Amino acid sequence: MTDPNNPDEQSDLVVKPRMKSQRPPMYKVLMLNDDFTPMEFVVHVLERLFNMTHAQAIEIMLTVHRKGIAVVGVFSHEVAETKVAQVMELARRQQHPLQCTMEKE
């Protein structure tokens, strides 16, 4: 029998290292350029679905137009997935071919 008051005796207690909690992976929502979706519609989508100011929305829309693609936000997987679906649904309802996708940051 071990003596709890004797520090020289081994204890059977196993101490597990504490795991650091990691931030969940983040996802970039990307908007793609096309030759048919009106610039005004893209600005509307950015203002409405991404809560951008008019100036921010115009800047992002111009980046999409000039470079062919732009990051419109970085979110958790669930939020990014929802944003992509909302953009695609809104574009479909307005009969625009606007494309939006997401990728891991």
Side-chain angles (χ1 to χ4, degrees):
M1 184 163 204
T2 60
D3 179 5
N5 295 324
N6 186 347
D8 293 333
E9 292 189 21
Q10 289 283 336
S11 170
D12 290 337
L13 180 65
V14 176
V15 178
K16 291 183 180 179
R18 180 170 275 193
M19 299 294 286
K20 273 192 171 181
S21 60
Q22 292 182 335
R23 288 184 58 204
M26 300 299 279
Y27 290 79
K28 297 185 284 189
V29 174
L30 305 162
M31 194 168 283
L32 308 169
N33 188 44
D34 65 73
D35 293 332
F36 304 101
T37 304
M39 292 179 177
E40 297 80 18
F41 179 75
V42 174
V43 170
H44 170 73
V45 168
L46 294 169
E47 290 173 342
R48 180 173 170 197
L49 300 180
F50 295 91
N51 299 320
M52 292 185 185
T53 66
H54 191 69
Q56 290 170 325
I58 288 174
E59 186 176 330
I60 295 290
M61 176 273 298
L62 289 173
T63 300
V64 171
H65 180 69
R66 291 179 184 135
K67 295 187 176 182
I69 192 168
V71 175
V72 295
V74 179
F75 308 96
S76 68
H77 184 271
E78 293 78 17
V79 173
E81 201 170 50
T82 300
K83 296 281 188 191
V84 169
Q86 289 173 333
V87 169
M88 298 300 288
E89 175 61 20
L90 190 56
R92 185 190 64 75
R93 278 193 274 142
Q94 297 295 317
Q95 300 180 341
H96 295 304
L98 181 63
Q99 294 292 304
C100 189
T101 187
M102 61 188 261
E103 68 180 34
K104 201 170 191 177
E105 187 177 41

